Amino acid sequence: MKLEQIYTGCIAQAAYYLESNGEAAIFDPLREVQPYIDRASKDNAKIKYIFETHFHADFVSGHLDLAKKSGGQIVYGPTANPNFEAVIAEDGQEFKVGAYTIKAIHTPGHTMESTCYLLTDENGKQHGIITGDTLFIGDVGRPDLAQKMSTDLTQEKLASYLYDSLRNKIMILPDELIVYPSHGAGSACGKNMSKETTDTLGNQKRTNYALRADMTREEFTAELLDGLGIPPAYFPQNVMMNIQGYESLDNILEKSFKPLTPREFEAIANQSEALILDVRHEDDFVKSHIPGSIFIGIQGGFAPWVGALIRDVKQPLLLITPEGREEETITRLSRVGFDNSLGYLKGGIAAWKEAGFETDSIESISPEQFESEANEKSIIVDARKPGEFNAEHIENALNIPLDFVNEQLSEVPKEENFYLHCAGGYRSVIMASILKSRGYHNMINVEKGMAGIRKTNAKLTAFVCPSTNK
């Protein structure tokens, strides 16, 4: 049995490939589908089925493009109602892929249509289970996303459904089954995911907090809901794209991969409501950038931060990218539904300067310089998440998480200069770019963030293990 798991990007998007006797099945494909077409061709296999575990929220699946190009049938679990042709499987329905059998197991909870797929080999041995967002390594799917799809649903109801699905459908299966989830560490679809991409079901029963054998429904619900952050604003928009359909990625690349001269770039920026998105490294951005542009570096947590901070997937974008990474940027934006890129600045900032256009910069200092400059009267803004801040922070620092900079803008100091830092230097530059675009120019970025500050003699609070501070 050939089965592979592919993780890519900071939101850990997963895809699976199963091939037997000239037939292939794909599970939750990424939006760029050509690699699946090429792989099937290499194996002399025809893609027969495209199995979706549920309507994903954190990325746009490639199911429609793959079905169109391969002729494979899209399969969803019970209760799914997409706006396109698909097989809606019954609970327990089996599908043949060559000598292998794939059994749909309806596991509502993360969403109502959530379905796992049990894989059985040619000898009748149960090999593994594709769990989607029902079961992760070290965690289970959050139950607060699908409630936006129906007024009858609450996160408590969904948690209760998930409790039953795990105990009555998943935990009764053999311990030796290999678990293949749809996401790993970095995804916003859970809160405690492991960096490991697979595990045995038996080990998950022993180590996953949500699979504790003596856990009551009430305990499960309380632990599952505790500490859930607010989901990114783009999640419901991605769900609707996955339900209703979307434009082909080939078309998106064709219209968006458009090199623009500085004058063309400026003209479009002035004539449209486009947001200028700079995805270079933070060190390059602080030195020189187009005034009013927003920084979200492609080398960091790119996709989730774009979705959390830009919010509207239809927002027109003008791109400034590292040379040679233009197509990658457009593709990674499209993975999370941002399909409205209008083009990119040809020649980058160097060309912008050569054309005589204005640039801006952000004052940025080393951790050592911060230590020598800052005192007990200094205003220090910490852009990390509350859990990180509570674990350890600079004494008297103010916590304004990047996630909530728009909501907490009134808390940002307006008159006095303040120091701004995060964990490693990435998020603080994102926040600084947002603040500058709103007229704040009184921040001083601290390079390397807490990672660098810890190596100085700056006064920090006593460390508290993150697992004990909620």
Side-chain angles (χ1 to χ4, degrees):
M1 178 175 286
K2 297 179 181 178
L3 187 61
E4 299 174 5
Q5 187 171 42
I6 304 167
Y7 281 102
T8 180
C10 291
I11 287 189
Q13 304 162 354
Y16 306 84
Y17 182 92
L18 176 70
E19 180 269 323
S20 173
N21 298 351
E23 294 181 340
I26 308 293
F27 298 82
D28 291 340
L30 301 177
R31 193 164 181 185
E32 53 270 44
V33 302
Q34 194 57 45
Y36 307 115
I37 303 289
D38 294 342
R39 173 63 185 272
S41 177
K42 180 181 177 181
D43 289 343
N44 294 316
K46 178 182 178 181
I47 296 175
K48 187 176 183 181
Y49 295 115
I50 302 157
F51 291 98
E52 290 287 338
T53 57
H54 63 295
F55 295 118
H56 288 277
D58 60 339
F59 71 99
V60 178
S61 177
H63 53 300
L64 293 177
D65 282 352
L66 186 56
K68 182 177 180 180
K69 290 186 175 185
S70 70
Q73 286 186 302
I74 300 171
V75 180
Y76 280 97
T79 77
N81 187 27
N83 286 7
F84 46 82
E85 185 177 347
V87 175
I88 307 303
E90 296 179 1
D91 188 20
Q93 184 172 344
E94 294 183 346
F95 299 84
K96 282 289 188 180
V97 178
Y100 304 149
T101 301
I102 301 172
K103 182 179 181 180
I105 301 176
H106 189 210
T107 52
H110 176 66
T111 67
M112 290 307 294
E113 79 283 352
S114 284
T115 297
C116 298
Y117 296 100
L118 180 64
L119 312 176
T120 303
D121 67 18
E122 65 274 26
N123 299 314
K125 177 178 174 58
Q126 294 178 347
H127 166 81
I129 186 165
I130 308 290
T131 54
D133 286 22
T134 296
L135 174 62
F136 300 123
I137 308 304
D139 202 358
V140 294
R142 59 191 296 169
D144 61 331
L145 302 182
Q147 62 180 338
K148 296 182 181 297
M149 307 307 294
S150 172
T151 55
D152 294 331
L153 292 175
T154 65
Q155 59 184 10
E156 288 78 15
K157 279 186 179 180
L158 286 159
S160 184
Y161 287 135
L162 185 56
Y163 177 86
D164 288 330
S165 292
L166 290 167
R167 278 148 182 80
N168 301 331
K169 298 287 189 73
I170 303 299
M171 292 175 67
I172 62 173
L173 296 171
D175 284 358
E176 61 269 21
L177 275 183
I178 301 173
V179 176
Y180 299 94
S182 279
H183 307 290
S187 172
C189 286
K191 62 180 181 180
N192 192 41
M193 296 184 211
S194 169
K195 293 181 180 179
E196 299 299 322
T197 58
T198 62
D199 194 9
T200 63
L201 180 58
N203 193 52
Q204 283 302 293
K205 291 177 186 178
R206 289 187 292 272
T207 61
N208 191 319
Y209 77 94
L211 304 189
R212 201 168 66 240
D214 61 351
M215 198 176 213
T216 66
R217 187 183 304 274
E218 292 71 26
E219 288 171 338
F220 175 85
T221 300
E223 291 193 37
L224 186 58
L225 298 182
D226 182 41
L228 281 181
I230 298 174
Y234 76 99
F235 270 25
Q237 299 171 75
N238 274 200
V239 170
M240 295 312 298
M241 291 177 74
N242 283 321
I243 293 174
Q244 296 176 350
Y246 49 81
E247 189 173 357
S248 165
L249 180 59
D250 292 342
N251 293 344
I252 299 300
L253 287 170
E254 183 178 351
K255 74 178 185 181
S256 299
F257 193 77
K258 184 184 298 182
L260 301 171
T261 67
R263 296 202 178 279
E264 291 171 332
F265 192 94
E266 184 206 33
I268 295 175
N270 289 337
Q271 295 166 10
S272 69
E273 296 181 355
L275 183 151
I276 301 174
L277 179 63
D278 193 323
V279 308
R280 297 173 299 149
H281 193 277
E282 59 263 29
D283 292 346
D284 297 319
F285 184 86
V286 298
K287 293 175 184 175
S288 183
H289 59 266
I290 295 175
S293 60
I294 300 299
F295 163 78
I296 305 179
I298 198 168
Q299 84 288 347
F302 181 61
W305 284 122
V306 167
L309 297 171
I310 299 180
R311 300 190 171 190
D312 183 1
V313 297
K314 296 180 180 179
Q315 168 67 48
L317 301 173
L318 284 166
L319 305 176
I320 301 169
T321 75
E323 185 176 359
R325 301 187 73 176
E326 299 85 3
E327 183 173 334
E328 177 192 352
T329 302
I330 296 166
T331 299
R332 289 178 64 178
L333 286 168
S334 288
R335 283 182 188 162
V336 289
F338 287 82
D339 291 343
N340 201 11
S341 297
L342 305 181
Y344 64 90
L345 179 61
K346 184 179 180 181
I349 293 296
W352 183 261
K353 291 179 180 178
E354 289 173 7
F357 291 115
E358 180 185 0
T359 61
D360 201 350
S361 62
I362 294 172
E363 184 176 356
S364 192
I365 62 174
S366 68
E368 292 76 20
Q369 189 175 349
F370 167 75
E371 179 193 5
S372 66
E373 289 184 7
N375 55 56
E376 60 185 18
K377 295 183 180 180
S378 297
I379 302 173
I380 301 165
V381 174
D382 188 328
R384 297 176 300 158
K385 294 178 181 294
E388 297 172 279
F389 181 82
N390 293 336
E392 182 185 37
H393 60 265
I394 300 170
E395 288 187 357
N396 301 318
L398 172 66
N399 185 211
I400 302 179
L402 173 58
D403 316 51
F404 305 111
V405 63
N406 293 305
E407 291 79 5
Q408 295 181 234
L409 197 61
S410 63
E411 299 178 30
V412 178
K414 292 182 178 180
E415 306 300 331
E416 300 178 76
N417 287 346
F418 64 92
Y419 297 98
L420 176 62
H421 79 86
C422 60
Y426 178 78
R427 283 175 282 177
S428 62
V429 178
I430 297 177
M431 183 180 285
S433 73
I434 293 172
L435 292 176
K436 283 185 76 72
S437 73
R438 286 161 171 71
Y440 291 76
H441 301 283
N442 53 326
M443 76 288 294
I444 302 168
N445 177 61
V446 183
E447 300 166 356
K448 300 178 183 178
M450 279 295 287
I453 293 169
R454 286 192 187 97
K455 296 178 182 179
T456 71
N457 293 317
K459 292 184 179 180
L460 305 179
T461 59
F463 180 80
V464 178
C465 180
S467 64
T468 64
N469 73 80
K470 296 295 185 182

